[in-house]
Amino acid sequence: MECQDYSLNRQTERENLNLNPLQRGGVLPPESRQALYEFSDGYSVCDYCAGRLDQIPKPSINSFLEDIANFIQVDHARTVHGAREGKFAVMHALCRPGDTVVMDGNAHYTSHLAAERNGLNIVEVPSSGEPEYRVDAEGYHETLDELNDRGEDVSLVLLTHVDGDYGNVTDARAVGKVAHDAGIPFLLNCAYSMGRMPIDAKGWNVDFAVGSGHKSMAASGPIGILGVQEEWADLVLKRSSLHQVKELEMLGCTSRGAPIATLMASLPHIINRVKHWDVEVEKSRYFVSEMEKISGVRQIGVRPTEHDLVRFETPFFHRIADKHPRKGFYLYEELKQRNIVGIKRGQTQWFKCSVYGYSQEQVHYIAHSFAEIADKYGEMAD
Amino acid sequence: MECQDYSLNRQTERENLNLNPLQRGGVLPPESRQALYEFSDGYSVCDYCAGRLDQIPKPSINSFLEDIANFIQVDHARTVHGAREGKFAVMHALCRPGDTVVMDGNAHYTSHLAAERNGLNIVEVPSSGEPEYRVDAEGYHETLDELNDRGEDVSLVLLTHVDGDYGNVTDARAVGKVAHDAGIPFLLNCAYSMGRMPIDAKGWNVDFAVGSGHKSMAASGPIGILGVQEEWADLVLKRSSLHQVKELEMLGCTSRGAPIATLMASLPHIINRVKHWDVEVEKSRYFVSEMEKISGVRQIGVRPTEHDLVRFETPFFHRIADKHPRKGFYLYEELKQRNIVGIKRGQTQWFKCSVYGYSQEQVHYIAHSFAEIADKYGEMAD
């Protein structure tokens, strides 16, 4: 049989400025590209395995997991295939079908799927809605109170530390306190925070923290981190009754290949970059302020933004699309001519973007490019 | 904080002849190293996603999955993180806790863990034991009959197509027929076969086939293939009730990163190499015949071997270890001096190895090296 052509190149995204927030935090530093070269083949990290991935001494996955546990302040760390697989594992270990999990209204779809796949009942803590979509501890308090009044047990409280729609940074510590005061374990989804900004799981009353290597930790996907506090280790890291060394929720071993090598190589880089998170936030705020100089462009979500993922309403660009001969495609095409990609083709009414990791000059260039396009077609928007 | 040194190099394994059977089938061809370069960063394959990984048009994951479904003769194919995750997903979709799954006595530990994590009861079809450890359809027939007589329902029949202890190739078609005659769905674990030898899921009565990219499909781990026949697609590929486009057992998307790019790039290479499986088997048999010229060395498992993974009993090498000043380490060290690795340090009583993918000259060199070591220390074995 003949294979079809799979278009296995990514030149456009590699060689242009990519504003897709999904892609900003996963870019590999050079040392991790080197690790990828070393560990390309198959089960590459398993040469010196004595039965447990997390205990492999060469490459030193054991030391790496100690370091990452220290970095996010948990007692135990494991790699998983991504944040979603970490959430599924925690729910699977903790909950029985029919149990209730409480999560925020900005929760990622994978939090819903992890619960649904486990047969759990989801109760949502609503956000404040337009235009801020804020999630706060008071909302969790009210929801848990209501459930308590109805006599409904809650098995797990989940909070999306930073959501993927608005880039709102929640007060994890405050929500963690509400959960703990109610005696309920607390899972923090750090997919958009771990590797970008500091995480203090112990200080924030977090029982389980999940992170995403491909989203925010400068690693090749798929890989994630599951952090577990000592109190829950026996349950979540329970061993098989048939193969005593193997952890059941990990199905024995998880990241058996290249992505874990990239995450390990990236850890020093990540530890360093989270120290400069304030600089990234400042850059984002500058970007927002420049973008909002364009007629009608407005950042929605909490303001001023506290994260690099920002969502803009852009009615001005949308009105141009009505009259432009290329319709909604003009914005994508004009940006691409300026070596900017990552805004979806055809999208003009609103978009999410991020300038994470770009230099001040690059951010200026990006904002200036949007302004230039707005100027060029401004008359069409009238 | 400072990171420890993780020893992130694999020079020894990259630059020497590696006999570890786990590592032979996962070596990347050059075109897949190129794909790894292109798709190194984070969520690299997700630039053009409209909500479903398996439908992404660029790179053409959709076309790739069509091709792989055709290659192994299933109606639907998905990538999973590995064979174990595929087995877990099938069991999770099909079975309820307390259900019974029947599997062979040579089943991989991950088949046990997938069942245990799902709360299933495992009934084993014993192998023939020493020295062949053969698993056959008659054994499945007897076990299913016994269970039927006891009135015990069986939810799934699992067969390890090629086991990882002896490299025995089972008669999947015959076991599939027994399962189907009993009206029970049939899962074939092809971790050591898919990508090495031809798979004909339809012809073999296979309802679910799982494969391992890192073990046998020339891909960077972790990645696997889950093949599902049409009859079971609604159940195993069931969509979320909350996010209609997302498949529940996949938690939405699975292989979001570099490994899938390597597997895609390797598919033409794999399709080609399975055509020459007979040459690999001949090479293995030659290797076994040369090894058995060494006093007391004997291949165990089905003879002549039908696979590249072979297990040897090596009492001769073990007796040397008793007297050698380096004890059991001498064999590893002598081999390494000859640029051969992959036999565990200290192991002399028996070992598994594979010469898959090596040239006839390399195989000759490897066998000759063992003979040379046997000669060198032969007196110590007396």
Side-chain angles (χ1 to χ4, degrees), chain B residues 151-171:
Chain B
E152 193 169 330
D153 284 339
V154 175
S155 297
L156 184 69
V157 167
L158 183 153
L159 173 67
T160 314
H161 190 204
V162 176
D163 73 89
D165 283 322
Y166 313 105
N168 288 348
V169 180
T170 56
D171 186 347

mmCIF file with all atom_site columns, all heavy atoms in Angstrom, chain B residues 151-171:
data_model
loop_
_atom_site.group_PDB
_atom_site.id
_atom_site.type_symbol
_atom_site.label_atom_id
_atom_site.label_alt_id
_atom_site.label_comp_id
_atom_site.label_asym_id
_atom_site.label_entity_id
_atom_site.label_seq_id
_atom_site.pdbx_PDB_ins_code
_atom_site.Cartn_x
_atom_site.Cartn_y
_atom_site.Cartn_z
_atom_site.occupancy
_atom_site.B_iso_or_equiv
_atom_site.pdbx_formal_charge
_atom_site.auth_seq_id
_atom_site.auth_comp_id
_atom_site.auth_asym_id
_atom_site.auth_atom_id
_atom_site.pdbx_PDB_model_num
ATOM 1   N N   . GLY B 1 151 ? -21.138 -20.778 34.681 1.00 0.00 ? 151 GLY B N   1
ATOM 2   C CA  . GLY B 1 151 ? -22.100 -19.684 34.520 1.00 0.00 ? 151 GLY B CA  1
ATOM 3   C C   . GLY B 1 151 ? -21.481 -18.306 34.650 1.00 0.00 ? 151 GLY B C   1
ATOM 4   O O   . GLY B 1 151 ? -22.162 -17.326 34.943 1.00 0.00 ? 151 GLY B O   1
ATOM 5   N N   . GLU B 1 152 ? -20.165 -18.234 34.429 1.00 0.00 ? 152 GLU B N   1
ATOM 6   C CA  . GLU B 1 152 ? -19.490 -16.943 34.576 1.00 0.00 ? 152 GLU B CA  1
ATOM 7   C C   . GLU B 1 152 ? -19.360 -16.254 33.221 1.00 0.00 ? 152 GLU B C   1
ATOM 8   O O   . GLU B 1 152 ? -18.772 -16.794 32.291 1.00 0.00 ? 152 GLU B O   1
ATOM 9   C CB  . GLU B 1 152 ? -18.101 -17.167 35.201 1.00 0.00 ? 152 GLU B CB  1
ATOM 10  C CG  . GLU B 1 152 ? -17.467 -15.879 35.679 1.00 0.00 ? 152 GLU B CG  1
ATOM 11  C CD  . GLU B 1 152 ? -16.218 -16.115 36.528 1.00 0.00 ? 152 GLU B CD  1
ATOM 12  O OE1 . GLU B 1 152 ? -16.137 -17.158 37.209 1.00 0.00 ? 152 GLU B OE1 1
ATOM 13  O OE2 . GLU B 1 152 ? -15.330 -15.245 36.486 1.00 0.00 ? 152 GLU B OE2 1
ATOM 14  N N   . ASP B 1 153 ? -19.923 -15.058 33.130 1.00 0.00 ? 153 ASP B N   1
ATOM 15  C CA  . ASP B 1 153 ? -19.824 -14.292 31.887 1.00 0.00 ? 153 ASP B CA  1
ATOM 16  C C   . ASP B 1 153 ? -18.412 -13.757 31.699 1.00 0.00 ? 153 ASP B C   1
ATOM 17  O O   . ASP B 1 153 ? -17.750 -13.384 32.663 1.00 0.00 ? 153 ASP B O   1
ATOM 18  C CB  . ASP B 1 153 ? -20.788 -13.100 31.917 1.00 0.00 ? 153 ASP B CB  1
ATOM 19  C CG  . ASP B 1 153 ? -22.224 -13.546 31.689 1.00 0.00 ? 153 ASP B CG  1
ATOM 20  O OD1 . ASP B 1 153 ? -22.417 -14.645 31.119 1.00 0.00 ? 153 ASP B OD1 1
ATOM 21  O OD2 . ASP B 1 153 ? -23.142 -12.816 32.099 1.00 0.00 ? 153 ASP B OD2 1
ATOM 22  N N   . VAL B 1 154 ? -18.000 -13.700 30.453 1.00 0.00 ? 154 VAL B N   1
ATOM 23  C CA  . VAL B 1 154 ? -16.692 -13.122 30.121 1.00 0.00 ? 154 VAL B CA  1
ATOM 24  C C   . VAL B 1 154 ? -16.929 -11.905 29.234 1.00 0.00 ? 154 VAL B C   1
ATOM 25  O O   . VAL B 1 154 ? -17.635 -11.990 28.234 1.00 0.00 ? 154 VAL B O   1
ATOM 26  C CB  . VAL B 1 154 ? -15.801 -14.160 29.404 1.00 0.00 ? 154 VAL B CB  1
ATOM 27  C CG1 . VAL B 1 154 ? -14.494 -13.528 28.948 1.00 0.00 ? 154 VAL B CG1 1
ATOM 28  C CG2 . VAL B 1 154 ? -15.544 -15.355 30.312 1.00 0.00 ? 154 VAL B CG2 1
ATOM 29  N N   . SER B 1 155 ? -16.348 -10.773 29.607 1.00 0.00 ? 155 SER B N   1
ATOM 30  C CA  . SER B 1 155 ? -16.592 -9.533  28.861 1.00 0.00 ? 155 SER B CA  1
ATOM 31  C C   . SER B 1 155 ? -15.603 -9.320  27.725 1.00 0.00 ? 155 SER B C   1
ATOM 32  O O   . SER B 1 155 ? -15.886 -8.599  26.775 1.00 0.00 ? 155 SER B O   1
ATOM 33  C CB  . SER B 1 155 ? -16.507 -8.329  29.804 1.00 0.00 ? 155 SER B CB  1
ATOM 34  O OG  . SER B 1 155 ? -17.512 -8.415  30.779 1.00 0.00 ? 155 SER B OG  1
ATOM 35  N N   . LEU B 1 156 ? -14.422 -9.905  27.860 1.00 0.00 ? 156 LEU B N   1
ATOM 36  C CA  . LEU B 1 156 ? -13.378 -9.639  26.870 1.00 0.00 ? 156 LEU B CA  1
ATOM 37  C C   . LEU B 1 156 ? -12.374 -10.783 26.881 1.00 0.00 ? 156 LEU B C   1
ATOM 38  O O   . LEU B 1 156 ? -12.018 -11.299 27.943 1.00 0.00 ? 156 LEU B O   1
ATOM 39  C CB  . LEU B 1 156 ? -12.665 -8.322  27.230 1.00 0.00 ? 156 LEU B CB  1
ATOM 40  C CG  . LEU B 1 156 ? -11.599 -7.802  26.264 1.00 0.00 ? 156 LEU B CG  1
ATOM 41  C CD1 . LEU B 1 156 ? -12.222 -7.336  24.948 1.00 0.00 ? 156 LEU B CD1 1
ATOM 42  C CD2 . LEU B 1 156 ? -10.818 -6.644  26.899 1.00 0.00 ? 156 LEU B CD2 1
ATOM 43  N N   . VAL B 1 157 ? -11.932 -11.150 25.677 1.00 0.00 ? 157 VAL B N   1
ATOM 44  C CA  . VAL B 1 157 ? -10.829 -12.102 25.542 1.00 0.00 ? 157 VAL B CA  1
ATOM 45  C C   . VAL B 1 157 ? -9.623  -11.331 25.019 1.00 0.00 ? 157 VAL B C   1
ATOM 46  O O   . VAL B 1 157 ? -9.725  -10.603 24.028 1.00 0.00 ? 157 VAL B O   1
ATOM 47  C CB  . VAL B 1 157 ? -11.203 -13.250 24.573 1.00 0.00 ? 157 VAL B CB  1
ATOM 48  C CG1 . VAL B 1 157 ? -9.967  -14.053 24.181 1.00 0.00 ? 157 VAL B CG1 1
ATOM 49  C CG2 . VAL B 1 157 ? -12.252 -14.161 25.203 1.00 0.00 ? 157 VAL B CG2 1
ATOM 50  N N   . LEU B 1 158 ? -8.508  -11.461 25.714 1.00 0.00 ? 158 LEU B N   1
ATOM 51  C CA  . LEU B 1 158 ? -7.279  -10.763 25.313 1.00 0.00 ? 158 LEU B CA  1
ATOM 52  C C   . LEU B 1 158 ? -6.199  -11.787 24.998 1.00 0.00 ? 158 LEU B C   1
ATOM 53  O O   . LEU B 1 158 ? -6.020  -12.753 25.745 1.00 0.00 ? 158 LEU B O   1
ATOM 54  C CB  . LEU B 1 158 ? -6.825  -9.833  26.449 1.00 0.00 ? 158 LEU B CB  1
ATOM 55  C CG  . LEU B 1 158 ? -5.592  -8.952  26.210 1.00 0.00 ? 158 LEU B CG  1
ATOM 56  C CD1 . LEU B 1 158 ? -5.677  -7.685  27.071 1.00 0.00 ? 158 LEU B CD1 1
ATOM 57  C CD2 . LEU B 1 158 ? -4.270  -9.654  26.493 1.00 0.00 ? 158 LEU B CD2 1
ATOM 58  N N   . LEU B 1 159 ? -5.508  -11.564 23.906 1.00 0.00 ? 159 LEU B N   1
ATOM 59  C CA  . LEU B 1 159 ? -4.372  -12.423 23.556 1.00 0.00 ? 159 LEU B CA  1
ATOM 60  C C   . LEU B 1 159 ? -3.146  -11.553 23.300 1.00 0.00 ? 159 LEU B C   1
ATOM 61  O O   . LEU B 1 159 ? -3.235  -10.522 22.625 1.00 0.00 ? 159 LEU B O   1
ATOM 62  C CB  . LEU B 1 159 ? -4.685  -13.243 22.292 1.00 0.00 ? 159 LEU B CB  1
ATOM 63  C CG  . LEU B 1 159 ? -3.515  -14.066 21.715 1.00 0.00 ? 159 LEU B CG  1
ATOM 64  C CD1 . LEU B 1 159 ? -3.108  -15.211 22.653 1.00 0.00 ? 159 LEU B CD1 1
ATOM 65  C CD2 . LEU B 1 159 ? -3.863  -14.618 20.328 1.00 0.00 ? 159 LEU B CD2 1
ATOM 66  N N   . THR B 1 160 ? -2.021  -11.982 23.849 1.00 0.00 ? 160 THR B N   1
ATOM 67  C CA  . THR B 1 160 ? -0.745  -11.330 23.569 1.00 0.00 ? 160 THR B CA  1
ATOM 68  C C   . THR B 1 160 ? -0.218  -11.947 22.281 1.00 0.00 ? 160 THR B C   1
ATOM 69  O O   . THR B 1 160 ? 0.159   -13.121 22.275 1.00 0.00 ? 160 THR B O   1
ATOM 70  C CB  . THR B 1 160 ? 0.233   -11.582 24.734 1.00 0.00 ? 160 THR B CB  1
ATOM 71  O OG1 . THR B 1 160 ? -0.466  -11.352 25.959 1.00 0.00 ? 160 THR B OG1 1
ATOM 72  C CG2 . THR B 1 160 ? 1.440   -10.685 24.638 1.00 0.00 ? 160 THR B CG2 1
ATOM 73  N N   . HIS B 1 161 ? -0.248  -11.167 21.215 1.00 0.00 ? 161 HIS B N   1
ATOM 74  C CA  . HIS B 1 161 ? 0.095   -11.736 19.910 1.00 0.00 ? 161 HIS B CA  1
ATOM 75  C C   . HIS B 1 161 ? 1.500   -12.320 19.940 1.00 0.00 ? 161 HIS B C   1
ATOM 76  O O   . HIS B 1 161 ? 1.717   -13.470 19.547 1.00 0.00 ? 161 HIS B O   1
ATOM 77  C CB  . HIS B 1 161 ? -0.036  -10.660 18.824 1.00 0.00 ? 161 HIS B CB  1
ATOM 78  C CG  . HIS B 1 161 ? 0.071   -11.192 17.433 1.00 0.00 ? 161 HIS B CG  1
ATOM 79  N ND1 . HIS B 1 161 ? 0.452   -10.429 16.371 1.00 0.00 ? 161 HIS B ND1 1
ATOM 80  C CD2 . HIS B 1 161 ? -0.150  -12.435 16.939 1.00 0.00 ? 161 HIS B CD2 1
ATOM 81  C CE1 . HIS B 1 161 ? 0.453   -11.183 15.272 1.00 0.00 ? 161 HIS B CE1 1
ATOM 82  N NE2 . HIS B 1 161 ? 0.091   -12.391 15.595 1.00 0.00 ? 161 HIS B NE2 1
ATOM 83  N N   . VAL B 1 162 ? 2.445   -11.519 20.417 1.00 0.00 ? 162 VAL B N   1
ATOM 84  C CA  . VAL B 1 162 ? 3.815   -11.999 20.637 1.00 0.00 ? 162 VAL B CA  1
ATOM 85  C C   . VAL B 1 162 ? 4.190   -11.556 22.044 1.00 0.00 ? 162 VAL B C   1
ATOM 86  O O   . VAL B 1 162 ? 4.105   -10.368 22.356 1.00 0.00 ? 162 VAL B O   1
ATOM 87  C CB  . VAL B 1 162 ? 4.796   -11.380 19.626 1.00 0.00 ? 162 VAL B CB  1
ATOM 88  C CG1 . VAL B 1 162 ? 6.228   -11.814 19.936 1.00 0.00 ? 162 VAL B CG1 1
ATOM 89  C CG2 . VAL B 1 162 ? 4.414   -11.746 18.199 1.00 0.00 ? 162 VAL B CG2 1
ATOM 90  N N   . ASP B 1 163 ? 4.579   -12.498 22.887 1.00 0.00 ? 163 ASP B N   1
ATOM 91  C CA  . ASP B 1 163 ? 4.865   -12.112 24.269 1.00 0.00 ? 163 ASP B CA  1
ATOM 92  C C   . ASP B 1 163 ? 6.292   -11.593 24.398 1.00 0.00 ? 163 ASP B C   1
ATOM 93  O O   . ASP B 1 163 ? 7.146   -11.851 23.541 1.00 0.00 ? 163 ASP B O   1
ATOM 94  C CB  . ASP B 1 163 ? 4.648   -13.307 25.199 1.00 0.00 ? 163 ASP B CB  1
ATOM 95  C CG  . ASP B 1 163 ? 5.753   -14.318 25.044 1.00 0.00 ? 163 ASP B CG  1
ATOM 96  O OD1 . ASP B 1 163 ? 6.764   -14.201 25.752 1.00 0.00 ? 163 ASP B OD1 1
ATOM 97  O OD2 . ASP B 1 163 ? 5.627   -15.219 24.179 1.00 0.00 ? 163 ASP B OD2 1
ATOM 98  N N   . GLY B 1 164 ? 6.538   -10.872 25.466 1.00 0.00 ? 164 GLY B N   1
ATOM 99  C CA  . GLY B 1 164 ? 7.827   -10.226 25.679 1.00 0.00 ? 164 GLY B CA  1
ATOM 100 C C   . GLY B 1 164 ? 8.812   -11.056 26.481 1.00 0.00 ? 164 GLY B C   1
ATOM 101 O O   . GLY B 1 164 ? 9.913   -10.594 26.782 1.00 0.00 ? 164 GLY B O   1
ATOM 102 N N   . ASP B 1 165 ? 8.429   -12.275 26.844 1.00 0.00 ? 165 ASP B N   1
ATOM 103 C CA  . ASP B 1 165 ? 9.353   -13.136 27.583 1.00 0.00 ? 165 ASP B CA  1
ATOM 104 C C   . ASP B 1 165 ? 10.056  -14.139 26.677 1.00 0.00 ? 165 ASP B C   1
ATOM 105 O O   . ASP B 1 165 ? 11.246  -14.399 26.842 1.00 0.00 ? 165 ASP B O   1
ATOM 106 C CB  . ASP B 1 165 ? 8.607   -13.900 28.687 1.00 0.00 ? 165 ASP B CB  1
ATOM 107 C CG  . ASP B 1 165 ? 8.322   -13.007 29.882 1.00 0.00 ? 165 ASP B CG  1
ATOM 108 O OD1 . ASP B 1 165 ? 9.192   -12.180 30.203 1.00 0.00 ? 165 ASP B OD1 1
ATOM 109 O OD2 . ASP B 1 165 ? 7.234   -13.120 30.469 1.00 0.00 ? 165 ASP B OD2 1
ATOM 110 N N   . TYR B 1 166 ? 9.304   -14.703 25.739 1.00 0.00 ? 166 TYR B N   1
ATOM 111 C CA  . TYR B 1 166 ? 9.853   -15.779 24.894 1.00 0.00 ? 166 TYR B CA  1
ATOM 112 C C   . TYR B 1 166 ? 9.789   -15.450 23.410 1.00 0.00 ? 166 TYR B C   1
ATOM 113 O O   . TYR B 1 166 ? 10.357  -16.176 22.596 1.00 0.00 ? 166 TYR B O   1
ATOM 114 C CB  . TYR B 1 166 ? 9.099   -17.090 25.172 1.00 0.00 ? 166 TYR B CB  1
ATOM 115 C CG  . TYR B 1 166 ? 8.958   -17.353 26.646 1.00 0.00 ? 166 TYR B CG  1
ATOM 116 C CD1 . TYR B 1 166 ? 7.737   -17.158 27.303 1.00 0.00 ? 166 TYR B CD1 1
ATOM 117 C CD2 . TYR B 1 166 ? 10.069  -17.726 27.403 1.00 0.00 ? 166 TYR B CD2 1
ATOM 118 C CE1 . TYR B 1 166 ? 7.624   -17.347 28.669 1.00 0.00 ? 166 TYR B CE1 1
ATOM 119 C CE2 . TYR B 1 166 ? 9.959   -17.909 28.778 1.00 0.00 ? 166 TYR B CE2 1
ATOM 120 C CZ  . TYR B 1 166 ? 8.735   -17.719 29.405 1.00 0.00 ? 166 TYR B CZ  1
ATOM 121 O OH  . TYR B 1 166 ? 8.624   -17.891 30.753 1.00 0.00 ? 166 TYR B OH  1
ATOM 122 N N   . GLY B 1 167 ? 9.063   -14.402 23.061 1.00 0.00 ? 167 GLY B N   1
ATOM 123 C CA  . GLY B 1 167 ? 8.907   -14.086 21.642 1.00 0.00 ? 167 GLY B CA  1
ATOM 124 C C   . GLY B 1 167 ? 8.078   -15.126 20.905 1.00 0.00 ? 167 GLY B C   1
ATOM 125 O O   . GLY B 1 167 ? 8.233   -15.308 19.699 1.00 0.00 ? 167 GLY B O   1
ATOM 126 N N   . ASN B 1 168 ? 7.188   -15.803 21.623 1.00 0.00 ? 168 ASN B N   1
ATOM 127 C CA  . ASN B 1 168 ? 6.311   -16.777 20.961 1.00 0.00 ? 168 ASN B CA  1
ATOM 128 C C   . ASN B 1 168 ? 5.233   -16.057 20.148 1.00 0.00 ? 168 ASN B C   1
ATOM 129 O O   . ASN B 1 168 ? 4.560   -15.163 20.665 1.00 0.00 ? 168 ASN B O   1
ATOM 130 C CB  . ASN B 1 168 ? 5.603   -17.660 22.000 1.00 0.00 ? 168 ASN B CB  1
ATOM 131 C CG  . ASN B 1 168 ? 6.544   -18.657 22.655 1.00 0.00 ? 168 ASN B CG  1
ATOM 132 O OD1 . ASN B 1 168 ? 7.674   -18.862 22.196 1.00 0.00 ? 168 ASN B OD1 1
ATOM 133 N ND2 . ASN B 1 168 ? 6.089   -19.279 23.730 1.00 0.00 ? 168 ASN B ND2 1
ATOM 134 N N   . VAL B 1 169 ? 5.079   -16.460 18.905 1.00 0.00 ? 169 VAL B N   1
ATOM 135 C CA  . VAL B 1 169 ? 4.028   -15.895 18.060 1.00 0.00 ? 169 VAL B CA  1
ATOM 136 C C   . VAL B 1 169 ? 2.812   -16.803 18.159 1.00 0.00 ? 169 VAL B C   1
ATOM 137 O O   . VAL B 1 169 ? 2.898   -17.997 17.859 1.00 0.00 ? 169 VAL B O   1
ATOM 138 C CB  . VAL B 1 169 ? 4.494   -15.794 16.588 1.00 0.00 ? 169 VAL B CB  1
ATOM 139 C CG1 . VAL B 1 169 ? 3.389   -15.197 15.717 1.00 0.00 ? 169 VAL B CG1 1
ATOM 140 C CG2 . VAL B 1 169 ? 5.772   -14.960 16.486 1.00 0.00 ? 169 VAL B CG2 1
ATOM 141 N N   . THR B 1 170 ? 1.699   -16.249 18.609 1.00 0.00 ? 170 THR B N   1
ATOM 142 C CA  . THR B 1 170 ? 0.503   -17.073 18.798 1.00 0.00 ? 170 THR B CA  1
ATOM 143 C C   . THR B 1 170 ? -0.355  -17.076 17.537 1.00 0.00 ? 170 THR B C   1
ATOM 144 O O   . THR B 1 170 ? -0.184  -16.232 16.653 1.00 0.00 ? 170 THR B O   1
ATOM 145 C CB  . THR B 1 170 ? -0.339  -16.534 19.969 1.00 0.00 ? 170 THR B CB  1
ATOM 146 O OG1 . THR B 1 170 ? -0.652  -15.161 19.693 1.00 0.00 ? 170 THR B OG1 1
ATOM 147 C CG2 . THR B 1 170 ? 0.433   -16.621 21.274 1.00 0.00 ? 170 THR B CG2 1
ATOM 148 N N   . ASP B 1 171 ? -1.282  -18.001 17.489 1.00 0.00 ? 171 ASP B N   1
ATOM 149 C CA  . ASP B 1 171 ? -2.194  -18.091 16.351 1.00 0.00 ? 171 ASP B CA  1
ATOM 150 C C   . ASP B 1 171 ? -3.417  -17.223 16.647 1.00 0.00 ? 171 ASP B C   1
ATOM 151 O O   . ASP B 1 171 ? -4.429  -17.687 17.166 1.00 0.00 ? 171 ASP B O   1
ATOM 152 C CB  . ASP B 1 171 ? -2.591  -19.559 16.136 1.00 0.00 ? 171 ASP B CB  1
ATOM 153 C CG  . ASP B 1 171 ? -3.425  -19.745 14.872 1.00 0.00 ? 171 ASP B CG  1
ATOM 154 O OD1 . ASP B 1 171 ? -3.898  -18.728 14.302 1.00 0.00 ? 171 ASP B OD1 1
ATOM 155 O OD2 . ASP B 1 171 ? -3.607  -20.903 14.460 1.00 0.00 ? 171 ASP B OD2 1
#
